[in-house]
Amino acid sequence: MIRAGCHVSIAGSLADAVGRAEERGCDCFQIFSRNPRGWRFKDLTDAETDGFKGRLAASGLGPVVDHMPYLPNLASPKEEVYEKSVETLTAELNRCEALGIPFLVMHLGSHLGTGIEVGRERLIDGILQALAAAPGGVRLLLENTAGTKNGLGGTFEEIALLLDALPEERTAVCFDTCHAFAAGYDLRDAAAVGETLDLFDGALGLERLHVVHCNDCKGALGSHLDRHEHIGLGAIGEDGFVALLAVPAIRRLPLICETPVDERRDDTGNIRRLRELAGV
């Protein structure tokens, strides 16, 4: 068995997201706990948290993964953006705690030209501030990136430098297949998957990997193009996912699709294809 799912909308209510996950055939799923495109949000009410947790418990699905909104950038040299980003991360950790969500995934941001060392130090400091202000059991997962200009987290070694400065019991990694491939880590066959996972294990340790974003890639290997594609229909291809999903260290993890919805395939179709390629 594997635990496969996708990102689902919270339109209407957080509890409604559980129903959408069930409709799509999810075992696990990912959400934004609030509008991801703005800074402002309303505090959770007891009715919202109780409704979500009750619906989730009745469904038997899990784990749930929360994703940080789009605007925060904890590597930013702009003070207003940086302060808002730290506040947002703190709030999101607290929201996860209230909702019983164990994992919060975050993108690592851009230093906007100030240099990777400066950006890294600001990111580390911001995460430490947020973790200190939001004590609890939520695990913050740093997501690897496509290696775009000024971005942090495009290599496993960069992520290792971040994790080395952060509390091990509160942080880990979310591995995005599209981002890794776009950054130059080959995943197209068993040999390539083995080499890439060996590099991950050497830099970070596979035990630090807690969630996998399963996305094919529209761009070529090393293109730095962060464009997700349906499972098996992109440059990684079906052979790559067969090889990846055969690895025990991957199969045991929550596998979340963030794939397109179009005339070719929907969320249900991508989850089904992921299971087929995993041989279940």
Side-chain angles (χ1 to χ4, degrees):
M1 293 295 294
I2 62 170
R3 288 173 290 165
C6 65
H7 189 106
V8 296
S9 169
I10 62 166
S13 74
L14 283 160
D16 289 340
V18 182
R20 292 188 180 96
E22 290 176 309
E23 291 167 0
R24 287 159 176 75
C26 295
D27 304 306
C28 54
F29 63 95
Q30 179 177 276
I31 61 170
F32 292 115
S33 83
R34 37 152 297 196
N35 175 11
R37 301 185 184 279
W39 289 110
R40 301 175 67 180
F41 61 93
K42 295 180 180 179
D43 291 336
L44 292 168
T45 66
D46 290 343
E48 286 176 311
T49 57
D50 291 346
F52 176 79
K53 289 159 68 172
R55 185 76 179 271
L56 182 63
S59 74
L61 303 184
V64 181
V65 179
D66 184 26
H67 200 295
M68 278 284 286
Y70 295 123
L71 294 182
N73 178 11
L74 277 81
S76 176
K78 300 177 180 179
E79 287 303 325
E80 182 180 4
V81 171
Y82 184 76
E83 290 173 8
K84 286 183 177 180
S85 298
V86 174
E87 290 172 2
T88 300
L89 177 56
T90 304
E92 207 62 33
L93 286 165
N94 283 324
R95 289 168 75 85
C96 287
E97 187 75 20
L99 292 166
I101 295 175
F103 301 124
L104 173 61
V105 172
M106 72 172 292
H107 291 165
L108 304 182
S110 169
H111 59 73
L112 301 179
T114 59
I116 193 165
E117 290 81 9
V118 173
R120 182 188 304 125
E121 289 306 311
R122 287 180 72 78
L123 176 58
I124 290 168
D125 184 62
I127 291 175
L128 289 173
Q129 288 183 55
L131 291 176
V138 179
R139 182 87 63 157
L140 181 64
L141 305 185
L142 310 187
E143 182 175 350
N144 64 301
T145 65
T148 52
K149 183 179 179 180
N150 296 336
L152 276 68
T155 69
F156 300 151
E157 289 75 17
E158 284 183 25
I159 298 173
L161 288 172
L162 294 168
L163 289 181
D164 286 347
L166 298 171
E168 184 174 355
E169 69 278 6
R170 297 290 306 276
T171 55
V173 181
C174 171
F175 179 70
D176 187 298
T177 55
C178 171
H179 296 173
F181 189 80
Y185 293 103
D186 201 351
L187 294 167
R188 289 175 291 189
D189 56 39
V193 166
E195 182 177 349
T196 290
L197 292 184
D198 283 346
L199 291 172
F200 185 102
D201 194 33
L204 293 160
L206 282 169
E207 70 278 3
R208 302 300 301 275
L209 180 56
H210 282 52
V211 170
V212 179
H213 282 170
C214 288
N215 304 304
D216 214 321
C217 187
K218 287 183 182 289
L221 177 66
S223 64
H224 306 298
L225 184 65
D226 181 5
R227 294 283 304 282
H228 298 186
E229 180 57 289
H230 295 292
I231 300 297
L233 299 185
I236 296 174
E238 292 192 347
D239 289 347
F241 280 98
V242 168
L244 183 69
L245 295 168
V247 178
I250 300 298
R251 290 179 71 91
R252 66 179 176 82
L253 299 173
L255 307 171
I256 304 290
C257 294
E258 299 173 315
T259 39
V261 173
D262 56 32
E263 68 281 355
R264 295 172 298 162
R265 199 182 287 166
D266 58 10
D267 289 331
T268 301
N270 275 303
I271 294 169
R272 182 186 304 118
R273 192 66 188 128
L274 195 68
R275 290 197 179 106
E276 291 169 352
L277 296 176
V280 297

